Amino acid sequence: MITTLRKWVFLVVMVLVLLIGLLGWTIKMVAAPPFPLHHSSVHASHTLALIHPYCPPPPYDCR
């Protein structure tokens, strides 16, 4: 009977730890500032340059 009681106490403690962890993670996510997708100073050409790497002059073939 004591081992069954210990198992239940352990189970209840683990559930409480899990709930406290999820609550802390949720509070941290709500408090975190959102990441901007595009900064106002980034232009389309800069974005394309980030997507497609720079190709050096003619002796090189960038395909």
Side-chain angles (χ1 to χ4, degrees), residues 14-38:
M14 291 303 291
V15 167
L16 288 175
V17 167
L18 179 66
L19 289 175
I20 290 171
L22 287 173
L23 180 67
W25 179 76
T26 303
I27 291 172
K28 184 174 127 180
M29 287 295 125
V30 169
F35 292 105
L37 293 177
H38 295 288

Side-chain angles (χ1 to χ4, degrees), residues 16-62:
L16 288 175
V17 167
L18 179 66
L19 289 175
I20 290 171
L22 287 173
L23 180 67
W25 179 76
T26 303
I27 291 172
K28 184 174 127 180
M29 287 295 125
V30 169
F35 292 105
L37 293 177
H38 295 288
H39 193 270
S40 60
S41 67
V42 175
H43 299 291
S45 63
H46 292 142
T47 306
L48 287 175
L50 291 175
I51 294 171
H52 301 290
Y54 173 73
C55 184
Y60 301 102
D61 188 17
C62 302

